[in-house]
Amino acid sequence: MSESAQPKPRVKSGTVFVLGLALCGLAGWLLYQPYLPKAWLHDFSGEIAVRAAADPTPPEAEDVRQVQRRETPSHPYICATDFIRVPWDRMVVITAGEDMLSHPLLVDAKWDQRAREEAVAQMKADERYQLIVLLRENAVVDAQLFFTFWGDLSALARPEGFARSEAVFTAYSNDGIYFVAPAKDVPAGICTTP
C-alpha cells in the first residue's frame, strides 16, 4: 500500500469525551474560583473553631464527625496577625445591620469602585452576611464576606476597628454557633507576628 492510500488517523470518540470532560472541569474550576474563601478567611474560621471555649450544652451529634475528640489549643487567643498574610494595618468588621457607606473608617477609604458597590449590594442582600475589611494606609486591601453560620462577629463591629496590635480575639460556642469577641488581658508574646 502506498503512503497516500493509507487511512488518515481519526480522533476517537473516547478521546473527544475525555478532552471534553477535562475542558468542562477546567471551566467549572475557573468559574468557581471567585467563590472560594481566601486562605486567611479560611484560617480565621479554623482558628475560631479550634480556640473557642466549648459549648457547655452542645446540641446532640448528628453524625460521627461531630463526636470526634476536640484538639486542645495551647491558648484561647485568636491572633489575626498570625494568619492574615496580606499587608494591613487596620481591620474593620461590618455587620448586616450597619451602613457600610457611613462607617467612619470606610467612608473615606480608597476602594476599587466596583468592589465597593458589590460589597454594599451583597451586604444588603442577606442579613447573614458580615464583612471583614482590611485597610492599609486608608486603602482597602481586601474585603471578604464572613457568614453568620461560620461565627457571629457582631462584638467586633466597632467604629475604630482594630489595629494590628489590638486584633486578638476569643470565642465561645453556644448551641452550635461561635461568638467572637475582643480579647481582654492578653499575655505578652501570645501572638507571634507583630
Side-chain angles (χ1 to χ4, degrees), residues 85-107:
R85 301 287 182 239
V86 296
W88 61 282
D89 54 32
R90 187 149 301 270
M91 172 192 280
V92 177
V93 174
I94 305 292
T95 62
E98 292 181 90
D99 180 13
M100 192 175 101
L101 296 175
S102 63
H103 190 279
L105 291 176
L106 300 180
V107 70

